[in-house]
């Protein structure tokens, strides 16, 4: 722990949403402070951070002042403008590093990276224009899904191509943005592995969780996931190979499709991940603390699981159910957002379903 | 939950030490904010609170502004000046209430209250001067311990009277403060019950923990405590009777001596308690969240225990051991205090010793 941040040191976090909020809380457990950089006012993380900078990602002076005031920089989302990262990295280490960000910011780069590691992924093709689209359709076939290469999340920036006739409209939906056509994968269910890699190269992965989505947004994650012992091992080895190849420092979410032909990597997220929220009540050290430990140069903690958990996101009007949830054997995690809009993640609940199986 | 504070509401906390810090974190999980009132600069709780007032407890204007800015007021220590409470209660509810504070702020009042409930306590006598001391010694006998009635904590304001000849020096140690002489209790071990009572009158108690002190400061709390099933029931019933008699709202620590003749109440603390820190990693809902739920008018959560835990305080130089502790199956909770002084509580560690027995 010679390079570990001492008590009272400050972690700079880009982004002040619920992930930044829960990272701040985890930092406090280790005696560390956080400073949030966020363009929006009154972000959820501000309630529990020692300092907040409200500024745009193109405000170079604000970025410099922020970077100079912290000891290390991390982030809660991957779509940080490259120009901002260029400024920040002159001052302090950014963890996870630029390679992980560059890889995950662009679906095409990410797919080529995963393929290069010898991992199974869905068939894909680059689509920059109508000509590419024709070629891509002949390579990938239908049904398929057209996705923007950059800035997509929670199902945004995606259009289905059920038959060749849908393709023109799907391309129009991309509004000229470079895109990737992905073939459908015939999977039975989706799982994700939350993996962590320390500054010392040690890797620790949580038990895979099984994800169910509704309307493109994660609905529940259940641990343990339905996986055979060998699938479980494969899932963890896939995550570890990605972490090592990127010389990653921090926590990463790796989404996998389970198919009869094995596990197919869907996508990676270079940050704490919604599908890892169950660790807050299923493990002694949760994903948020594991991430803080990694970026602060601490040894990773013990991520073993003591309980079976079902995590459910509370979206929009789901907040009306808090009254019923509160007295049950469940842990509520609310983000302090004032207004419950449709589709807005307001909190989540970890329901304990028993001791770890 | 009709009177429950909604997301975004603010809990005012008197005192910004580690207990206030961990209360702030718990409040954030429920979507609530905290505002800390604390005379000292850079208190541990400031790192995770939405607002901090730095002012003295005799600054009436600061107290009024603080009270007006919050929705309910609670505290992390019981020795709040009565004059401050008088000002605050004109603005917002104080939870736990004045009765609990008045009772626990004065050892004599507390002992008479406990005796009035029919609970077993150590023999005691009021000592205001040398004449009283002689009478008290004849009533209580030796060995005994002379304690100031007010403002004692962690063994401070106490002097042992092993024989009658020690009495004069012990009285001098009190420096004229009203005191109580307590007879020694021949106990095998000490346990404590962390109990909670909601605004709706519901009571929930955690499993008793077994406490070991060193040099007057709590060293470890181990759950489960060595207690027979009937002792365990007695311990919980004692705590519940105290909570109900005080019409208490919040979490209370009740320290009990285990003797062959039954459980003897040592003292009560009208707040979250060091001997309840194990709940952070032994239960789904910890003592800090339980306290926040109560003072915020929420239903109490499920305080059942999923793991066996040994909580150990990290005092002063114990911080040097953090390096060894970090990678083990233990959860560190550090308070972010810059300087590790002898006798100063710097953090604690919850070591998981297995699934709940």
């Amino acid at each position: 722990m010679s390079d570990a941040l001492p008590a009272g040191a400050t972690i700079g976090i880009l982004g002040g949403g619920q992930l930044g909020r829960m990272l701040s809380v985890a930092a406090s457990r280790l005696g560390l402070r956080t400073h949030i950089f966020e363009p929006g006012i009154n972000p959820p993380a501000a309630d529990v951070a020692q300092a907040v900078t409200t500024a745009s990602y193109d405000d170079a002076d604000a970025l410099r002042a922020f970077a100079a005031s912290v000891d290390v920089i991390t982030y809660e989302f991957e779509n940080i403008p490259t120009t901002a990262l260029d400024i920040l990295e002159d001052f302090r280490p950014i963890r996870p590093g630029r390679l992980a960000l560059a890889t995950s910011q662009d679906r095409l780069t990410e797919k080529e990276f995963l393929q290069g590691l010898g991992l199974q992924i869905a068939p894909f093709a680059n689509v920059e224009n109508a000509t590419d689209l024709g070629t891509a359709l002949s390579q990938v076939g239908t049904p398929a899904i057209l996705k923007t290469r950059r800035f997509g999340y929670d199902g945004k920036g995606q259009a289905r191509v059920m038959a060749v006739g849908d393709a023109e409209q799907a391309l129009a939906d991309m509004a000229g943005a470079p895109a990737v056509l992905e073939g459908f994968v015939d999977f039975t269910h989706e799982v994700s592995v939350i993996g962590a890699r320390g500054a010392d190269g040690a890797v620790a992965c949580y038990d895979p969780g099984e994800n169910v989505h509704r309307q493109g947004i994660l609905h529940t994650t259940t641990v343990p996931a339905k996986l055979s012992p060998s699938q479980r091992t494969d899932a963890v080895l896939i995550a570890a190979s990605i972490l090592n190849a990127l010389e990653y420092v921090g926590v990463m979410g790796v989404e996998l499709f389970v198919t009869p032909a094995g596990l197919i990597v869907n996508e990676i997220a270079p940050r704490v991940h919604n599908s890892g929220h169950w660790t807050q009540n299923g493990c002694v050290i949760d994903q948020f603390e594991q991430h803080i430990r990694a970026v602060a140069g601490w040894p990773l903690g013990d991520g073993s699981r003591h309980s079976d958990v079902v995590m459910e996101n509370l979206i929009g009007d789901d907040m009306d159910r808090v009254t019923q949830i509160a007295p049950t054997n469940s842990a509520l995690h609310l983000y302090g957002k004032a207004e419950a809009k449709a589709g807005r993640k307001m909190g989540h609940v970890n329901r304990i379903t028993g001791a770890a199986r």
Side-chain angles (χ1 to χ4, degrees), chain A residues 78-79 99-122 124 147-152 180 182 242 245-246 252-257 264-271 273:
Chain A
E78 56 271 41
N79 292 323
L99 177 60
L101 273 166
T103 303
S104 60
Q105 281 185 343
D106 186 318
R107 285 187 197 277
L108 185 65
T109 310
E110 181 177 311
K111 287 175 186 302
E112 289 168 346
F113 161 75
L114 295 169
Q115 208 168 37
L117 285 182
L119 302 174
Q120 288 196 77
I121 58 173
F124 70 96
K147 298 179 176 179
T148 54
R149 280 174 55 177
R150 300 176 74 91
F151 303 119
V180 175
E182 276 182 28
I242 295 170
L246 294 171
M252 169 179 277
V254 179
E255 293 180 4
L256 302 162
F257 293 136
I264 294 186
V265 183
N266 178 29
E267 63 179 25
I268 63 176
R271 53 171 169 78
H273 198 256

Side-chain angles (χ1 to χ4, degrees), chain A residues 137 142 160-170:
Chain A
L137 281 167
T142 56
R160 292 191 176 209
V161 183
M162 299 311 286
V164 172
D166 300 338
E168 199 174 338
Q169 181 58 48

Side-chain angles (χ1 to χ4, degrees), chain A residues 45-59:
Chain A
D47 292 353
V48 285
Q50 210 262 338
V52 181
T53 293
T54 307
S56 151
Y57 285 109
D58 54 19
D59 183 338

Side-chain angles (χ1 to χ4, degrees), chain A residues 335-354:
Chain A
Y335 310 148
K337 297 178 183 176
E339 206 183 339
K341 293 180 196 160
R344 191 176 199 200
K345 290 179 180 171
M346 302 299 293
H348 64 273
V349 56
N350 286 329
R351 185 158 54 86
I352 310 306
T353 55

Side-chain angles (χ1 to χ4, degrees), chain A residues 117-345:
Chain A
L117 285 182
L119 302 174
Q120 288 196 77
I121 58 173
F124 70 96
N126 187 22
V127 177
E128 300 201 1
N129 52 46
T131 313
D132 284 354
L133 183 57
T135 314
L137 281 167
S138 66
Q139 285 174 8
V140 171
T142 56
I145 187 157
L146 192 64
K147 298 179 176 179
T148 54
R149 280 174 55 177
R150 300 176 74 91
F151 303 119
Y153 71 99
D154 282 350
K156 294 183 172 64
Q158 303 193 0
R160 292 191 176 209
V161 183
M162 299 311 286
V164 172
D166 300 338
E168 199 174 338
Q169 181 58 48
L171 190 64
D173 288 351
M174 301 294 111
V180 175
L181 188 72
E182 276 182 28
F184 265 36
V185 173
D186 188 19
F187 61 94
T188 55
H189 51 295
E190 182 198 295
V191 299
S192 55
V193 176
I194 308 300
R197 187 170 177 276
D200 59 358
V203 168
C205 293
Y206 291 99
D207 271 358
E210 183 171 335
N211 302 325
V212 173
H213 298 262
R214 279 190 186 170
Q215 297 168 317
I217 302 177
L218 183 64
H219 173 52
T220 57
T221 300
T222 301
V223 281
K226 284 193 299 288
L227 289 174
S228 67
S230 70
Q231 286 173 322
R232 195 175 305 263
T233 304
D234 283 352
V236 168
L237 290 177
I238 288 169
S241 71
I242 295 170
L243 290 166
N244 285 326
L246 294 171
E247 298 185 20
Y248 196 85
V249 177
V251 160
M252 169 179 277
V254 179
E255 293 180 4
L256 302 162
F257 293 136
V258 183
T259 79
L263 300 173
I264 294 186
V265 183
N266 178 29
E267 63 179 25
I268 63 176
R271 53 171 169 78
V272 288
H273 198 256
N274 196 164
S275 70
H277 290 0
W278 67 267
T279 59
Q280 293 174 308
N281 299 97
C283 304
V284 174
I285 306 295
D286 69 19
Q287 68 163 347
F288 300 99
E289 180 170 333
Q290 204 70 301
H291 185 79
I292 294 292
R293 282 172 174 247
V295 304
W298 282 50
L300 297 180
D302 187 319
S304 57
R305 186 167 60 83
H306 56 67
S307 295
D308 289 355
V309 184
V310 179
M311 188 288 305
E312 181 183 346
N313 271 332
L314 301 174
I315 315 263
D317 291 343
D318 287 341
M319 285 296 282
D320 297 342
R321 288 165 41 222
V322 164
T323 308
Q324 287 97 61
I325 295 167
T328 65
N329 188 19
S330 300
L332 281 161
H333 298 267
L334 306 183
Y335 310 148
K337 297 178 183 176
E339 206 183 339
K341 293 180 196 160
R344 191 176 199 200
K345 290 179 180 171

